[in-house]
Amino acid sequence: MKNMKISQQMLVKLDVAVMKRGRYFIAYSPALDLSTFGKSLKEAKSRFAEILDIFFQELEEANTLDAVLDDLGWVKVKKQWEPPQVVSQQSFNVHIPVGA
């Protein structure tokens, strides 16, 4: 990764869900629509931290941070971005049609 100078930083609370699919753990942030995976929970979390860093570096370099966060539903309050928050997460029983 490139070392780049970031003029300012902000600290936000970001919801990240980790799901298990087969042998893999998938880390997903709905506020960024960003995901990655690992063979262990620790690896998935570590890889998510890496991809998050790359994601924000790319947005900063392209000067598109504000536009992308706005498109993702983030809100700017007093010059600081706030992500949409997950207020509830639960399981639902759903009926899914299957072919004959």
Side-chain angles (χ1 to χ4, degrees), residues 25-88:
F25 291 84
I26 301 163
Y28 172 69
S29 171
L32 294 173
D33 196 21
L34 187 66
S35 66
T36 190
F37 71 96
K39 291 182 180 178
S40 68
L41 179 60
K42 182 178 179 180
E43 182 182 28
K45 288 179 177 182
S46 176
R47 291 184 73 183
F48 189 83
E50 289 175 27
I51 196 122
L52 193 60
D53 187 45
I54 293 167
F55 178 78
F56 281 113
Q57 282 185 23
E58 292 292 327
L59 293 180
E60 183 76 17
E61 288 175 9
N63 200 28
T64 57
L65 179 66
D66 287 354
V68 170
L69 293 181
D70 185 57
D71 285 347
L72 289 168
W74 290 53
V75 178
K76 204 166 201 178
V77 177
K78 296 182 182 177
K79 298 184 181 183
Q80 180 159 327
W81 284 103
E82 293 184 7
Q85 297 293 311
V86 174
V87 294
S88 175

